[in-house]
Amino acid sequence: MELKPLLRSLVPGDFAGLIADVGAPSYRAQQVKQWAFVQDAMQWDQMGNLPHSLRECLSAKFDLRGLELQERQVSTDHTRKFLFRLRDGHTIESVIIPMKDHATFCLSTQVGCAMACTFCATARGGLVRHLEPGEVIEQILHLRADLEDHPVPGMGDRQFNVVFMGMGEPLDNWDTMEPALQSMTATDGLAMSKRRIQISTSGPAAGLQRLIASAPGVGLTLSLGGSTDEERHKVMPVPGRTGLKEALGLAADYGRLAGRRVTIAWVLIQDRTDQPDQAKRLAQLLKGHNFKVNLIPLNPLDDSTLVPTADPAVLGFQKILTDAGVPTFIRASGGRDIDAACGQLRRKRQ
Ligand code: SAH
């Protein structure tokens, strides 16, 4: 089945041309954009201020809705996990993580992933396909609506941050990420601040180069998982093919360009990535760079022998880095009771 593109795969700057092409007056562009990015229309007939003929014309070219909610889970820590069904029947996950004064939306960029990281549930099925920009944008619209309908108790405002730490490797799908980021940050799109957006990558060199070339100004997290090329390759076989020094150098270049400090994500797996020697080598690697480190104790998968590092060793690993002058934080992974680690829910339902 040949699918139509999603209307929301267009960027705000495309709407004037679209409206001209279909022969409608130019002021209609603003109205259609509003329905797409501000009013979050999910059905064409919601667009009450548009003539029937224009709606017909648009709906012949585009689909308005690409995601159907299939399952919603709420954790005891208020983390919410969503399983969405796409038009071709594949599924993706998104998560809302409530923080003190905002919510964090964790979004997917691909169905599956080609990176084959040993600790990650998404990796198990390989890559199925890239998401299109509209499918990225629509995750935000559904999560934003969910947060409005069900405010998190005790949470200050309803501002949200977006992190691309769900299923997929965002820098392997830059053709989608670039327009999606444009629509997220445009004043006539979702009007988000760049400061509220974070891309997380396993660091393929070609992807980092494209990121640098388009300089979107959003934050960057580089997932490492090894302090030598050999170590990293064992845990993250595909990204491990880009040399550590090259990946770190490109990430640092991007950080300078964006004027933002780059984050290093390090998953702590007992006996594999939690050795004091590794912390020392990591500190050495990061010396002179404006990086900070987030340590993430493994969220264990039920079919794997990999075990999370115990708390005292987590603290020990952190201390080696902080003593070496590297700002290092421990990130608790939320939603353990609801399969909230990357790809776990989708795998269970397959
Ligand atoms: N491909 C991108 C984004 C998806 S993974 C990347 O590699 O960054 C997002 C983050 O989740 C990465 O830092 C990854 O190391 C971490 N992660 C994946 N599975 C995990 C698990 N089971 N436990 C803890 N962290 C995990």
Side-chain angles (χ1 to χ4, degrees), residues 114-149:
M115 296 296 110
C117 302
T118 55
F119 49 84
C120 177
T122 305
R124 298 303 168 77
L127 176 65
V128 179
R129 71 165 171 88
H130 295 310
L131 294 189
E132 62 169 290
E135 291 167 327
V136 172
I137 298 297
E138 216 179 303
Q139 292 174 67
I140 302 179
L141 304 190
H142 287 293
L143 268 46
R144 180 164 84 174
D146 192 84
L147 201 57
E148 259 170 41
D149 292 347

Short mmCIF file of all heavy atoms in Angstrom, two decimals, residues 114-149:
data_model
loop_
_atom_site.label_atom_id
_atom_site.label_comp_id
_atom_site.label_asym_id
_atom_site.label_seq_id
_atom_site.Cartn_x
_atom_site.Cartn_y
_atom_site.Cartn_z
N ALA A 114 19.41 0.15 13.76
CA ALA A 114 20.44 -0.68 13.14
C ALA A 114 21.72 -0.76 13.96
O ALA A 114 22.69 -1.39 13.54
CB ALA A 114 20.76 -0.14 11.74
N MET A 115 21.75 -0.12 15.15
CA MET A 115 23.02 0.04 15.86
C MET A 115 23.45 -1.20 16.66
O MET A 115 24.59 -1.31 17.05
CB MET A 115 22.96 1.25 16.80
CG MET A 115 22.79 2.59 16.09
SD MET A 115 24.20 3.01 15.04
CE MET A 115 23.50 2.84 13.42
N ALA A 116 22.50 -2.10 16.94
CA ALA A 116 22.81 -3.40 17.55
C ALA A 116 23.48 -3.34 18.93
O ALA A 116 24.22 -4.26 19.30
CB ALA A 116 23.67 -4.24 16.59
N CYS A 117 23.24 -2.28 19.70
CA CYS A 117 23.83 -2.19 21.05
C CYS A 117 23.34 -3.36 21.91
O CYS A 117 22.16 -3.68 21.91
CB CYS A 117 23.47 -0.85 21.69
SG CYS A 117 24.03 0.56 20.69
N THR A 118 24.26 -3.98 22.63
CA THR A 118 23.95 -5.24 23.31
C THR A 118 22.94 -5.06 24.44
O THR A 118 22.23 -6.00 24.78
CB THR A 118 25.22 -5.86 23.92
OG1 THR A 118 25.82 -4.87 24.77
CG2 THR A 118 26.20 -6.27 22.85
N PHE A 119 22.88 -3.86 25.02
CA PHE A 119 22.05 -3.64 26.21
C PHE A 119 20.67 -3.08 25.88
O PHE A 119 19.87 -2.84 26.77
CB PHE A 119 22.78 -2.64 27.13
CG PHE A 119 23.26 -1.41 26.41
CD1 PHE A 119 22.41 -0.35 26.20
CD2 PHE A 119 24.56 -1.35 25.89
CE1 PHE A 119 22.83 0.78 25.50
CE2 PHE A 119 24.99 -0.22 25.19
CZ PHE A 119 24.12 0.85 24.99
N CYS A 120 20.39 -2.85 24.60
CA CYS A 120 19.20 -2.08 24.22
C CYS A 120 18.14 -2.96 23.59
O CYS A 120 18.42 -3.73 22.67
CB CYS A 120 19.60 -0.96 23.25
SG CYS A 120 18.21 0.00 22.67
N ALA A 121 16.89 -2.84 24.09
CA ALA A 121 15.79 -3.67 23.59
C ALA A 121 15.44 -3.35 22.15
O ALA A 121 15.08 -4.23 21.37
CB ALA A 121 14.56 -3.48 24.49
N THR A 122 15.56 -2.07 21.77
CA THR A 122 15.20 -1.68 20.39
C THR A 122 16.08 -2.39 19.37
O THR A 122 15.64 -2.71 18.27
CB THR A 122 15.37 -0.16 20.21
OG1 THR A 122 14.60 0.50 21.20
CG2 THR A 122 14.90 0.30 18.84
N ALA A 123 17.33 -2.62 19.76
CA ALA A 123 18.30 -3.18 18.82
C ALA A 123 17.93 -4.60 18.39
O ALA A 123 18.32 -5.05 17.31
CB ALA A 123 19.68 -3.20 19.46
N ARG A 124 17.19 -5.30 19.22
CA ARG A 124 16.98 -6.73 18.99
C ARG A 124 16.33 -7.06 17.66
O ARG A 124 16.64 -8.05 17.03
CB ARG A 124 16.13 -7.34 20.13
CG ARG A 124 16.78 -7.23 21.49
CD ARG A 124 18.16 -7.89 21.50
NE ARG A 124 18.90 -7.55 22.70
CZ ARG A 124 18.69 -8.09 23.89
NH1 ARG A 124 17.75 -8.99 24.03
NH2 ARG A 124 19.40 -7.72 24.92
N GLY A 125 15.40 -6.23 17.20
CA GLY A 125 14.72 -6.55 15.94
C GLY A 125 15.36 -5.91 14.72
O GLY A 125 14.85 -6.04 13.62
N GLY A 126 16.47 -5.19 14.90
CA GLY A 126 17.08 -4.50 13.76
C GLY A 126 16.24 -3.31 13.32
O GLY A 126 15.24 -2.97 13.95
N LEU A 127 16.69 -2.69 12.24
CA LEU A 127 15.98 -1.51 11.73
C LEU A 127 14.82 -1.95 10.84
O LEU A 127 15.00 -2.78 9.95
CB LEU A 127 16.93 -0.61 10.93
CG LEU A 127 16.29 0.61 10.27
CD1 LEU A 127 15.76 1.59 11.31
CD2 LEU A 127 17.27 1.30 9.34
N VAL A 128 13.63 -1.42 11.08
CA VAL A 128 12.48 -1.69 10.21
C VAL A 128 12.33 -0.55 9.19
O VAL A 128 12.35 -0.78 7.98
CB VAL A 128 11.18 -1.86 11.02
CG1 VAL A 128 10.00 -2.13 10.11
CG2 VAL A 128 11.35 -3.00 12.03
N ARG A 129 12.22 0.67 9.68
CA ARG A 129 12.21 1.81 8.75
C ARG A 129 12.45 3.12 9.50
O ARG A 129 12.35 3.17 10.73
CB ARG A 129 10.89 1.87 7.98
CG ARG A 129 9.66 2.29 8.80
CD ARG A 129 8.53 2.66 7.81
NE ARG A 129 7.24 2.89 8.46
CZ ARG A 129 6.84 4.08 8.94
NH1 ARG A 129 7.65 5.12 8.93
NH2 ARG A 129 5.64 4.21 9.45
N HIS A 130 12.74 4.17 8.74
CA HIS A 130 12.85 5.50 9.31
C HIS A 130 11.46 6.04 9.59
O HIS A 130 10.52 5.72 8.88
CB HIS A 130 13.50 6.46 8.30
CG HIS A 130 14.92 6.14 7.97
ND1 HIS A 130 15.86 5.92 8.93
CD2 HIS A 130 15.55 6.04 6.78
CE1 HIS A 130 17.03 5.69 8.34
NE2 HIS A 130 16.87 5.73 7.03
N LEU A 131 11.32 6.90 10.58
CA LEU A 131 10.08 7.67 10.71
C LEU A 131 10.14 8.83 9.74
O LEU A 131 11.21 9.28 9.35
CB LEU A 131 9.91 8.20 12.13
CG LEU A 131 9.71 7.16 13.24
CD1 LEU A 131 9.35 7.85 14.55
CD2 LEU A 131 8.65 6.13 12.87
N GLU A 132 8.96 9.33 9.32
CA GLU A 132 8.94 10.56 8.54
C GLU A 132 8.71 11.73 9.49
O GLU A 132 8.27 11.53 10.64
CB GLU A 132 7.93 10.50 7.39
CG GLU A 132 6.48 10.33 7.79
CD GLU A 132 5.52 10.56 6.60
OE1 GLU A 132 5.41 11.73 6.19
OE2 GLU A 132 4.88 9.60 6.12
N PRO A 133 9.03 12.96 9.06
CA PRO A 133 8.98 14.09 10.00
C PRO A 133 7.63 14.21 10.72
O PRO A 133 7.58 14.47 11.93
CB PRO A 133 9.23 15.30 9.10
CG PRO A 133 9.95 14.78 7.91
CD PRO A 133 9.54 13.36 7.73
N GLY A 134 6.54 14.00 9.97
CA GLY A 134 5.21 14.13 10.58
C GLY A 134 5.00 13.15 11.73
O GLY A 134 4.28 13.45 12.69
N GLU A 135 5.64 11.98 11.64
CA GLU A 135 5.50 10.99 12.72
C GLU A 135 6.26 11.42 13.96
O GLU A 135 5.89 11.06 15.09
CB GLU A 135 5.96 9.61 12.23
CG GLU A 135 5.02 9.02 11.19
CD GLU A 135 5.60 7.81 10.46
OE1 GLU A 135 6.82 7.75 10.24
OE2 GLU A 135 4.81 6.93 10.07
N VAL A 136 7.34 12.18 13.77
CA VAL A 136 8.08 12.72 14.92
C VAL A 136 7.25 13.83 15.57
O VAL A 136 7.03 13.85 16.78
CB VAL A 136 9.46 13.27 14.47
CG1 VAL A 136 10.14 14.01 15.61
CG2 VAL A 136 10.34 12.12 13.98
N ILE A 137 6.75 14.76 14.73
CA ILE A 137 5.97 15.89 15.24
C ILE A 137 4.72 15.39 15.97
O ILE A 137 4.36 15.87 17.04
CB ILE A 137 5.56 16.83 14.08
CG1 ILE A 137 6.80 17.42 13.41
CG2 ILE A 137 4.62 17.92 14.56
CD1 ILE A 137 7.65 18.29 14.29
N GLU A 138 4.07 14.39 15.39
CA GLU A 138 2.81 13.93 15.98
C GLU A 138 3.01 13.30 17.36
O GLU A 138 2.13 13.39 18.21
CB GLU A 138 2.12 12.95 15.02
CG GLU A 138 0.60 13.09 15.05
CD GLU A 138 -0.08 12.14 14.10
OE1 GLU A 138 0.23 12.18 12.88
OE2 GLU A 138 -0.91 11.35 14.57
N GLN A 139 4.16 12.68 17.59
CA GLN A 139 4.42 12.18 18.95
C GLN A 139 4.31 13.33 19.95
O GLN A 139 3.72 13.19 21.02
CB GLN A 139 5.82 11.55 19.06
CG GLN A 139 5.99 10.26 18.26
CD GLN A 139 7.45 9.80 18.31
OE1 GLN A 139 7.96 9.40 19.36
NE2 GLN A 139 8.14 9.85 17.17
N ILE A 140 4.89 14.47 19.60
CA ILE A 140 4.86 15.63 20.50
C ILE A 140 3.41 16.08 20.73
O ILE A 140 3.00 16.34 21.86
CB ILE A 140 5.68 16.81 19.94
CG1 ILE A 140 7.13 16.36 19.70
CG2 ILE A 140 5.62 18.02 20.88
CD1 ILE A 140 8.01 17.45 19.11
N LEU A 141 2.62 16.14 19.64
CA LEU A 141 1.25 16.62 19.78
C LEU A 141 0.43 15.70 20.70
O LEU A 141 -0.33 16.18 21.55
CB LEU A 141 0.57 16.72 18.41
CG LEU A 141 1.28 17.58 17.35
CD1 LEU A 141 0.37 17.79 16.14
CD2 LEU A 141 1.72 18.92 17.92
N HIS A 142 0.62 14.39 20.55
CA HIS A 142 -0.15 13.46 21.39
C HIS A 142 0.30 13.57 22.86
O HIS A 142 -0.52 13.52 23.78
CB HIS A 142 0.02 12.02 20.90
CG HIS A 142 -0.73 11.74 19.63
ND1 HIS A 142 -2.10 11.74 19.55
CD2 HIS A 142 -0.30 11.48 18.37
CE1 HIS A 142 -2.48 11.47 18.31
NE2 HIS A 142 -1.40 11.31 17.57
N LEU A 143 1.60 13.70 23.07
CA LEU A 143 2.10 13.78 24.45
C LEU A 143 1.68 15.11 25.10
O LEU A 143 1.30 15.15 26.27
CB LEU A 143 3.63 13.63 24.46
CG LEU A 143 4.17 12.20 24.65
CD1 LEU A 143 3.49 11.16 23.81
CD2 LEU A 143 5.67 12.13 24.45
N ARG A 144 1.75 16.18 24.31
CA ARG A 144 1.33 17.49 24.80
C ARG A 144 -0.15 17.47 25.21
O ARG A 144 -0.53 17.99 26.25
CB ARG A 144 1.57 18.49 23.66
CG ARG A 144 1.22 19.91 23.92
CD ARG A 144 1.87 20.80 22.88
NE ARG A 144 1.11 20.90 21.63
CZ ARG A 144 1.43 21.73 20.62
NH1 ARG A 144 2.49 22.50 20.70
NH2 ARG A 144 0.70 21.77 19.52
N ALA A 145 -0.98 16.82 24.38
CA ALA A 145 -2.41 16.72 24.70
C ALA A 145 -2.62 15.87 25.95
O ALA A 145 -3.45 16.19 26.81
CB ALA A 145 -3.17 16.11 23.51
N ASP A 146 -1.85 14.81 26.09
CA ASP A 146 -1.98 13.93 27.25
C ASP A 146 -1.64 14.69 28.54
O ASP A 146 -2.32 14.55 29.56
CB ASP A 146 -1.05 12.72 27.10
CG ASP A 146 -1.35 11.63 28.13
OD1 ASP A 146 -2.26 10.82 27.88
OD2 ASP A 146 -0.70 11.63 29.20
N LEU A 147 -0.62 15.52 28.45
CA LEU A 147 -0.18 16.28 29.62
C LEU A 147 -1.22 17.34 30.00
O LEU A 147 -1.43 17.62 31.18
CB LEU A 147 1.15 16.96 29.29
CG LEU A 147 2.04 17.39 30.43
CD1 LEU A 147 2.37 16.22 31.34
CD2 LEU A 147 3.33 18.00 29.88
N GLU A 148 -1.88 17.90 28.98
CA GLU A 148 -2.92 18.88 29.27
C GLU A 148 -4.15 18.21 29.88
O GLU A 148 -4.75 18.72 30.82
CB GLU A 148 -3.32 19.62 27.99
CG GLU A 148 -2.67 20.98 27.92
CD GLU A 148 -2.84 21.65 26.58
OE1 GLU A 148 -3.96 21.57 26.00
OE2 GLU A 148 -1.87 22.24 26.11
N ASP A 149 -4.51 17.05 29.34
CA ASP A 149 -5.69 16.33 29.84
C ASP A 149 -5.44 15.75 31.23
O ASP A 149 -6.35 15.63 32.04
CB ASP A 149 -6.06 15.18 28.90
CG ASP A 149 -6.58 15.69 27.56
OD1 ASP A 149 -6.87 16.90 27.48
OD2 ASP A 149 -6.66 14.89 26.60
#
